[in-house]
Structures are given as C-alpha cells and as structure tokens.
Amino acid sequence: MTKGRLVGLEGSFAIAEAVRMVNADVISAYPITPQTHIVERLAEMIADGELDAEFICVESEHSAMSACVGASAAGARVFTCSAGQGLELMHEVLYIPASMRLPVVAVAANRALSGPLSVWCDHSDAMALRDIGWIQIFAENNQQAFDLTVCAYRMAEDQDVLFPAMVHIDGFYLSHVTEDMELPAEADVADFIPDYEYPFVLDPAKPVSMGCYGPPFIYFEAKMAQNVAFEASKSKILEVWKVFKETFGRSYEPVETYRMEDARTALLTMGSISESAMLAIDELRSEGKAVGLIRLRLWRPFPFAELREAVKNLDCLLVLDRAISYGMGGPVCGEVKAALYDKRQDLAIVSYIAGIGGRDVTLDEFKYMINRGEEKAQLVTLGEELEPEIIGVRE
Amino acid sequence: MRGEGERNDLEQAAELFTPLLLTTDENFAPGHRACIGCGEALAVRHVCKALGTNVIVVNATGCIEIFSSLLPQTTWRLPWIHTLFENVGAVVSGVESAYKARIRKGKIPDRGVKFVGIAGDGGTTDIGLQALSGALERGHNILYCCFDNEAYMNTGIQRSSSTPYGAWTTTAPVGKHSIGQMTWKKNMPEIVVAHRIPYMATACPSYPLDLMEKVQKGLETEGPAYLHILSVCPTGWRCAPEETIEFGRLAVETGIFPLYEVINGDYRMSLDFPVLRPVKDYLRRQGRFRHLTEKDIDRIQARVDEDYAKLREKAGVK
Ligand SMILES: Cc1ncc(C[n+]2csc(CCOP(=O)(O)OP(=O)(O)O)c2C)c(N)n1
Ligand code: SF4
C-alpha cells in the first residue's frame, strides 16, 4: 500500500490533479458555475506544461461532450466537466458514449436548475441524468472527489466495461471548499491507470463504421446488449475499488453504512450532505438512539443487492432527496422504494426533500427528520399514506 | 477566367482523358439505399474518391447517414462515425485533437491522417451552425463538406434556411397566403468566409473534376477548409432522377449556384459566365417552383443578377 502526501486542496483542484495524473489526452469543456475552477485549473496546467493535453475550448456544453465523443472514438483518454444547465445542454449527447461504449469520463459539480436561476447546489441536474447509461458515482468530500475520478478512468476503460463514467460532486460544498486530503504519488496513479488501447478506434488502417442507423429489427437487440453489458459492469466496478483499496488504502462500496450495527432506523443520503448527517447520527447515538446512516455511493448501475443487504434489519428507512420530481416527490426515494418493493414490503420508507437550491440542512433538521421519521413510520405501519415532507422551506 | 468557347486544346484534352486517370476504387461502396438519381449520393461518391483512404469521416444525421449505414451493413470503406444531427463540427474537432495529442505524446505514429466532417444543409446552416462556427474559429485542421439539397430531405422535405426563395416544401407549403419559402437562401459560403479560414469553395457533382480538385485542395489546406456542395434531390425538388446532372449544371449556368473558391480571402471564379442563362430555364422545370408567377421569377432573376455581379466584382472579373 502506498502513502501519499497530505495537502490542502479545493475540490476542483483535487479533480484537476486527478485528470493530470491519469495523463488525459483531450480535455473539452465549457465554463459554468460551480464547475469553472476545474477547467481553469486544467487550462493552467496545460499552459504551464504540467499536463500534455489538447484543450478544446468549445462554444457550448453540447460541443464539449461531442468533442469528447469524437476524441474518445479516436482513442484518446478524455475529460470534461459541467453543472446544472450545462449538463442539461449536454443531455442529448450523453447517450452517445453510453450506446457506443466509449469510456468518456466526466465530473458533474451538481447545481440547481433554472428557474429561478440558481448557481447553488442540489441534485436536480444529476436526477435528470438518471437514464443516460453512464456509470454514476457520488462523492462526499474532496478526497473522494479525487479518488473516484481516478477510479472512474479504470472502470470506464476496462475492456469488459467500456462505458462512460460520471463523478458527481456537490457544487460549492466540494468544488469551492479547501479540505485536507492525501494526494498519491503520480507514479502510483500512473501504475493504477496505465495507458489503454480502445479496441474499435477510428483509424484508416482498420476502418470501422460507428454510430449506424438501427431499424426496428436490430435496435432492440442493441439496447438489450447495452443493458446486459451495463449491468455486468458492476462486478468490474467492485474490482476496481478492491484494487484501489489494496493500492491506496481507502475503501469504497456501492452502498456504505455508518453506525448501522444495531440500528432499526436509518437515514439514506447522497453526496456531501452525508458528512453532516453523520454528525447528527453521532449526536442521536449519544442520546441512546439506535440510528444509522446509509450513503448511496454508486447510483448507476443501481446497487440493488447491497441496498437490500444494508436495510435488512431496519424497521424504518428515511430517504433524503435534494431534488424534486414535480408531482411525484423525491426521485431517489422513488428508486429506493422500487428497489426494495419485492423483498421488504414491511419496511416503512419515509421521503424527505431538503437542501434545494443551496439551502443548508442544519443538524437540528437532520435530527428532526430522524425522530419524526420514526413516528411517521408507525403511521405507515398502521396503514396511513404519507406524502413526501419538505424540510426547511419558509411557509 | 474564360468561357466555354475559349478553352485551348490542351484543356479540352485534359477534360476528356482525366476521368480515365481517376481511381476506380469506390470508398463509398455501391449498394446504399439512396433514392434513384440522388445528387448527394453522387457527390459523396466523388468526394470519397478524392479523399483517398487516409481519412476519418464524421457524419451528421441526415439522408447520407441514413442511406449509407443501415445496420447490419455499411457503405463506408473509410473509418466513419455518426453521432447526432447538430454536432459534426465538434465531433470532428475531437477526432482531430485526439490524433494531435496522441501523436505529440508519442502514443501513435504520424501517418498524416486527415479529418472530414459531412452534413446536409440543415445540419450545417441551421442546427449545426454553432458547432461548425466553433470548429472553424478554433482553427482545427479539418475539411467540412456541406451537401446542400436545399431542405431537410431525410425527414421529408421540410424547409431549411438554405431553401431558396419561392420553393415549395412541406413546412413552407404553397397556399393562398404563401408562395412557399418566403425568405432568401442563407449565404452559408459567405458566413464561412467571414471566419477567415484558409479555404472555402462551392462545388457540384455535375462538375466532378472541379469537385474532386476542390476536395483535394481542402484536404491539403493547413487549418479549416469548407466545401459547399449543391446536391440535387429529385425527390424533394420534384424532378426526374435522370435530370440530376442537368439541374446541377443549370444551377451553375444560371448563376443561382456559382462555382467559386476563396483562398485566404482571395475570390476566384471556377467557372464564369459573362452572360448567364435565365433562371427561368432552371426554375420552370422543377415541381417545387411550379407555382411561381412571371413576377416571382423576375424577382429571383434580379436577386441572382445582383449577387452574381457582386461575386464577380470580389473575384476581380470584369
Ligand atoms: C436534435 C434533432 N432534431 C431533429 C432531428 C430530426 N432530423 C434528422 S435529419 C433531419 C434533416 C436533415 O436535413 P439536412 O441536414 O438538410 O440533410 P438531408 O437529409 O437533406 O441530406 C432532421 C430534421 C434530429 N435527428 N435531431
Ligand atoms: S431524399 Fe433526396 S437527398 Fe435524400 S436520398 Fe432521396 S434523393 Fe437523395
């Protein structure tokens, strides 16, 4: 196991370091708050000769992802990042690397969507990308932002995977905050992410046709193949995290749990908010309550088995969403319910929506959600139907 | 430039025998699914001959992509990629950048591979304009070919900003209050020239040698090169398949689609007509213009005369 160097780094800079250390060939991006620091730092690295890459300073996010697709098909290791409206403008293109099996890696600095215009964090943009066919992973702190970006390359480029991968970091909460973290030695990252050869590269020496037109007699089969391969990528994702742990000592799981040993109630979170939630769990634990936390790290492919395992001793699960599916409730809660429906119809699942558009979620609010959640769970058991509860909005 | 009558023997001999020297290789293979008489299919075939085999082609959604790539077959003997309708400028930028970076980093040898973007007039003058403009502005070493059949043909003859004034389309239909397309054709070649790229040319497969020569010039250009290729579409223009070549020639001879080059800002007529054929000869025989009155045609004639005179002035011909 190798030890790195302790440094204080902004989340954006940590990601730029990861992209530099994996020696990306082509970077193409368009600025949008709160992602800008990542591209600015990368542009600086290229300008200073610290990173040898082509920087395509495109005229839109649609083109940023399009250029990544072209570069990836031509065998380059690529990177882009965006946020909020930028990810939405990319949306059409995001399906392409997934269906063409191109290992594009991107970072999303999550941001609320217009309108009203907001640059602040929530997960609305991420939720709009649920079905694009990318490996999607949520980071909670800057260390994870770095580690998971590095891992994303090894996952995406595995010859049995070849799917694009996206690392989600909370805009501002991580992108603009300096934290201490361990930065591995460049050589160790280079060993972990060696150069790779894309097997179907665009090359006159061996012509291929990519992105053909699929009539009904073949489209469905193509999509099935994509889905089968995508689901199969999970075992490779686990393998990458295993090797990462052996190499760098930090471990990641599709579903991570905190103080769940004897918990009957748990809160489920994603992203940086999980760290505040841990504090709330600690306080409630010190008050003698048997509560724990579940952090959903791998969002796609969805970790059904791990989630079922994590909730197996629970009576009550509280799901915290940072996005609204208008007219439906919390999107993550909807997915969690769907994932557990077959096995755990006895489990009371309570939906909360909080932290929209950069609204902070306080310790008291976490505690309220957990305490009140247990009461709500009782009502569910008595057969009452519960609407999602929105926390922290001024009435 | 001289007119038809002024060619010397050597030039005439060259016209006669050069086709025999052309490669018989078809990089755009037979067996595709274009309509009979498709000018785009013909143009692509010529372009592919001139490209040779050391290229990568990036294609936008449109007729060409549809008729050449129906799974599980492909017409392309060249490396080819299609992703979306509006992003060819960006995808080809990415492909070119990937080669540049990987060659510089010693990951692959420099085999002089060239990068070519192709799209219809819709994918170029409308939805893809931004990505194309970005690619031209950034100075990528690419050749971009717009195959202009003057409407969205793949989706069934809807108007584009490259549809000529007065033409019938399904979204610019002829009716009591409409003569069809109510606006003038967007001057895409001039928009490209305004980017000050080193090479811009117009071409038409009715003049295959001229077209192929321009493709080669575009390929050899350092930096962005752009070809605007008029591609007759019998299906959308409402004309007979066997008239494709003739209509291409008529478009050029009437001055409706002049053939010219702009090399580093210098204009050059590829073919010049001190006296143009009347536009009527071209318009009257196509179904899409059938409804036009004499007055409409006069209006078009005046506009063509004005534009042609301006172009000749830029090219310095008197
Ligand atoms: C974003 C998007 N909008 C609309 C379409 C539908 N569409 C596909 S091809 C096409 C028209 C293509 O026209 P053009 O570029 O002129 O090429 P042609 O088919 O005439 O050769 C349209 C509208 C699409 N594929 N993608
Ligand atoms: S519709 Fe027109 S451009 Fe399209 S294949 Fe048919 S003839 Fe060619």
Side-chain angles (χ1 to χ4, degrees):
Chain A
M1 206 168 75
T2 62
K3 270 269 169 229
R5 163 167 81 84
L6 267 186
V7 294
L9 267 189
E10 195 186 275
S12 296
F13 286 25
I15 286 163
E17 281 299 327
V19 175
R20 184 177 69 83
M21 288 193 192
V22 303
N23 192 15
D25 300 312
V26 174
I27 295 159
S28 179
Y30 193 78
I32 181 169
T33 304
Q35 152 266 31
T36 33
H37 287 188
I38 307 174
V39 260
E40 285 170 353
R41 182 73 194 106
L42 285 167
E44 234 169 60
M45 287 171 167
I46 294 170
D48 289 338
E50 294 168 36
L51 167 61
D52 186 1
E54 281 295 308
F55 187 89
I56 315 179
C57 218
V58 279
E59 80 303 326
S60 74
E61 287 86 353
H62 196 283
S63 284
M65 185 50 64
S66 299
C68 283
V69 166
S72 184
R77 177 171 286 161
V78 304
F79 178 76
T80 191
C81 48
S82 195
Q85 304 305 132
L87 287 168
E88 298 317 310
L89 185 56
M90 254 183 210
H91 195 98
E92 187 200 16
V93 196
L94 289 170
Y95 294 85
I96 303 295
S99 59
M100 279 194 192
R101 309 287 299 272
L102 296 169
V104 173
V105 170
V107 165
N110 296 131
R111 162 177 163 173
L113 296 176
S114 277
L117 187 141
S118 165
V119 298
W120 306 101
C121 176
D122 68 30
H123 289 172
S124 310
D125 55 359
M127 291 303 133
L129 307 184
R130 273 186 300 173
D131 302 325
I132 53 176
W134 285 51
I135 294 168
Q136 296 188 61
I137 303 163
F138 278 78
E140 289 160 34
N141 55 39
N142 293 355
Q143 181 75 61
Q144 293 181 4
F146 176 90
D147 291 352
L148 296 173
T149 303
V150 168
C151 288
Y153 280 96
R154 181 146 168 168
M155 292 169 183
E157 291 172 0
D158 187 301
Q159 301 283 316
D160 293 331
V161 177
L162 295 178
F163 277 108
M166 186 178 288
V167 177
H168 293 271
I169 65 161
D170 284 350
F172 290 113
Y173 292 107
L174 300 190
S175 63
H176 286 56
V177 167
T178 301
E179 289 180 337
D180 52 355
M181 56 173 285
E182 193 181 311
L183 202 60
E186 249 161 82
D188 296 333
V189 175
D191 284 347
F192 185 69
I193 311 284
D195 283 349
Y196 89 116
E197 284 296 324
Y198 185 65
F200 316 108
V201 71
L202 287 171
D203 183 353
K206 199 176 161 216
V208 289
S209 292
M210 298 175 77
C212 293
Y213 170 42
F217 83 90
I218 208 162
Y219 180 87
F220 202 175
E221 282 69 22
K223 289 286 122 178
M224 266 303 289
Q226 184 182 336
N227 193 44
V228 168
F230 191 62
E231 283 178 357
S233 73
K234 204 175 117 210
S235 62
K236 295 288 172 177
I237 293 169
L238 299 182
E239 226 175 274
V240 170
W241 277 336
K242 192 165 154 264
V243 182
F244 188 86
K245 184 176 181 205
E246 286 159 13
T247 316
F248 299 106
R250 288 180 293 276
S251 84
Y252 295 101
E253 304 280 345
V255 174
E256 290 168 14
T257 54
Y258 180 69
R259 303 194 76 170
M260 286 285 284
E261 354 26 286
D262 56 346
R264 311 294 295 178
T265 298
L267 180 66
L268 184 142
T269 54
M270 287 161 93
S272 65
I273 217 168
S274 309
E275 296 210 331
S276 322
M278 281 190 231
L279 279 180
I281 298 291
D282 287 344
E283 288 199 10
L284 288 170
R285 278 272 174 187
S286 68
E287 290 166 21
K289 286 184 83 88
V291 292
L293 185 72
I294 297 175
R295 292 125 70 209
L296 203 51
R297 166 128 0 270
L298 182 66
W299 176 232
R300 286 292 186 274
F302 194 86
F304 288 97
E306 290 85 349
L307 181 68
R308 285 173 190 153
E309 175 64 25
V311 302
K312 73 170 189 270
N313 296 323
L314 293 181
D315 303 321
C316 169
L317 178 65
L318 324 165
V319 180
L320 173 50
D321 260 287
R322 300 195 72 188
I324 305 173
S325 174
Y326 302 100
M328 191 275 183
V332 177
C333 187
E335 305 249 341
V336 165
K337 281 182 177 168
L340 297 176
Y341 180 79
D342 291 344
K343 292 264 157 51
R344 288 299 311 273
Q345 288 183 27
D346 59 321
L347 176 66
I349 300 177
V350 176
S351 172
Y352 289 115
I353 292 171
I356 298 291
R359 183 70 50 89
D360 284 332
V361 185
T362 64
L363 259 188
D364 282 345
E365 282 169 343
F366 279 114
K367 286 203 244 169
Y368 164 83
M369 279 188 260
I370 294 165
N371 289 330
R372 171 79 183 127
E374 287 185 330
E375 290 165 30
K376 285 181 168 220
Q378 300 261 295
L379 297 176
V380 178
T381 324
L382 293 173
E384 269 201 44
E385 286 175 30
L386 292 182
E387 298 283 311
E389 187 176 342
I390 299 182
I391 306 289
V393 72
R394 290 188 311 276
E395 304 262 326
Chain B
M1 277 299 290
R2 288 156 304 192
E4 196 69 35
E6 295 169 64
R7 286 157 183 264
N8 63 32
D9 294 347
L10 211 61
E11 276 175 339
Q12 280 185 13
E15 284 240 331
L16 271 175
F17 293 108
T18 313
L20 300 178
L21 299 174
L22 289 178
T23 172
T24 52
D25 291 348
E26 300 292 354
N27 299 325
F28 187 78
H32 56 73
R33 293 168 166 82
C35 310
I36 303 169
C38 173
E40 270 193 3
L42 182 64
V44 174
R45 180 180 161 224
H46 289 330
V47 167
C48 286
K49 271 187 189 287
L51 289 177
T53 52
N54 201 22
V55 295
I56 293 170
V57 178
V58 180
N59 199 167
T61 312
C63 275
I64 297 173
E65 168 258 335
I66 295 293
F67 68 61
S68 69
S69 80
L70 190 90
L71 282 171
Q73 292 159 335
T74 179
T75 306
W76 295 91
R77 289 178 176 153
L78 304 170
W80 175 91
I81 182 170
H82 157 261
T83 67
L84 293 167
F85 186 20
E86 66 273 47
N87 65 352
V88 163
V91 178
V92 74
S93 299
V95 174
E96 184 246 17
S97 299
Y99 266 78
K100 222 155 113 189
R102 296 181 77 218
I103 289 167
R104 191 178 59 231
K105 292 167 103 165
K107 293 184 176 180
I108 50 170
D110 187 354
R111 285 174 278 127
V113 180
K114 308 277 188 182
F115 312 97
V116 182
I118 65 177
D121 51 291
T124 302
T125 69
D126 291 337
I127 199 167
L129 183 59
Q130 179 177 315
L132 168 61
S133 177
L136 299 181
E137 173 266 326
R138 291 188 300 269
H140 293 278
N141 196 7
I142 55 168
L143 168 64
Y144 186 104
C145 301
C146 168
F147 293 88
D148 183 1
N149 55 19
E150 303 195 320
Y152 302 146
M153 296 307 179
N154 177 46
T155 35
I157 329 178
Q158 293 89 23
R159 62 89 71 180
S160 78
S161 59
S162 199
T163 301
Y165 174 80
W168 162 89
T169 71
T170 56
T171 49
V174 178
K176 251 192 245 161
H177 302 288
S178 167
I179 63 157
Q181 176 88 337
M182 304 279 246
T183 54
W184 295 95
K185 183 182 173 93
K186 187 185 269 185
N187 194 337
M188 192 62 207
E190 285 301 317
I191 292 172
V192 168
V193 168
H195 287 77
R196 296 199 170 207
I197 60 165
Y199 188 76
M200 196 301 293
T202 63
C204 173
S206 301
Y207 300 84
L209 298 183
D210 178 70
L211 167 62
M212 287 189 231
E213 197 182 304
K214 284 170 175 169
V215 171
Q216 275 157 1
K217 278 192 194 174
L219 268 193
E220 283 156 21
T221 301
E222 273 298 314
Y226 176 92
L227 287 188
H228 198 92
I229 305 168
L230 184 74
S231 309
V232 178
C233 166
T235 309
W237 293 18
R238 297 294 193 242
C239 60
E242 64 272 21
E243 291 172 332
T244 296
I245 309 286
E246 197 185 344
F247 276 118
R249 288 198 167 250
L250 281 171
V252 174
E253 289 167 12
T254 54
I256 282 178
F257 191 85
L259 296 183
Y260 66 103
E261 286 176 307
V262 185
I263 305 173
N264 294 317
D266 287 337
Y267 284 72
R268 227 199 62 169
M269 304 299 289
S270 313
L271 262 183
D272 181 43
F273 301 93
V275 183
L276 291 168
R277 275 180 85 144
V279 295
K280 199 170 16 178
D281 294 0
Y282 173 75
L283 301 174
R284 274 287 174 235
R285 290 170 52 200
Q286 295 173 50
R288 63 176 175 157
F289 294 118
R290 188 168 27 220
H291 55 284
L292 295 184
T293 62
E294 285 301 315
K295 225 172 107 197
D296 297 330
I297 291 179
D298 288 347
R299 252 192 109 187
I300 295 170
Q301 185 69 61
R303 173 94 173 198
V304 167
D305 289 345
E306 185 191 328
D307 285 355
Y308 198 75
K310 273 191 204 152
L311 185 61
R312 289 187 90 208
E313 197 178 316
K314 283 188 194 165
V317 278
K318 302 255 150 45

